[in-house]
Amino acid sequence: PRLPPLPGGRAARRPGWLRIARENVDLVARFPLEEGGQGSGGKCVKTHLHRMLHMDLQEEPRLRDAVEACQAHAEFVAVL
């Protein structure tokens, strides 16, 4: 079940998810997935970003394409 929107609409929720997405990217830089035997870190980061920012990426195809093109930490940071 979906929660009712917060006062101010959907935009009021974005900063929270964007902050979490940025923290996720920073954690991956500190603890690279490849070193833990988890495979492709870039693919994992993209999957998590798509889940966290799904609505925004649906509304902004250029942002979605930019996330898909990212390969390195610096690129993810620049997009977010």
Side-chain angles (χ1 to χ4, degrees), residues 6 49 62 65 71-72:
L6 296 173
L49 290 178
R62 290 185 302 168
D65 294 343
Q71 297 295 320

Side-chain angles (χ1 to χ4, degrees), residues 16-69:
W17 283 112
L18 184 56
R19 180 183 52 79
I20 292 169
R22 287 176 177 151
E23 287 177 9
N24 180 272
V25 169
D26 289 340
L27 285 171
V28 171
R30 287 179 53 203
F31 307 102
L33 297 172
E34 290 84 358
E35 291 180 14
Q38 299 297 314
S40 173
K43 183 177 178 182
C44 186
V45 172
K46 289 176 192 179
T47 299
H48 285 116
L49 290 178
H50 276 277
R51 288 181 181 164
M52 288 182 247
L53 303 173
H54 178 76
M55 290 173 46
D56 296 308
L57 296 177
Q58 292 297 316
E59 293 176 1
E60 299 290 338
R62 290 185 302 168
L63 177 60
R64 182 186 62 231
D65 294 343
V67 168
E68 282 300 316

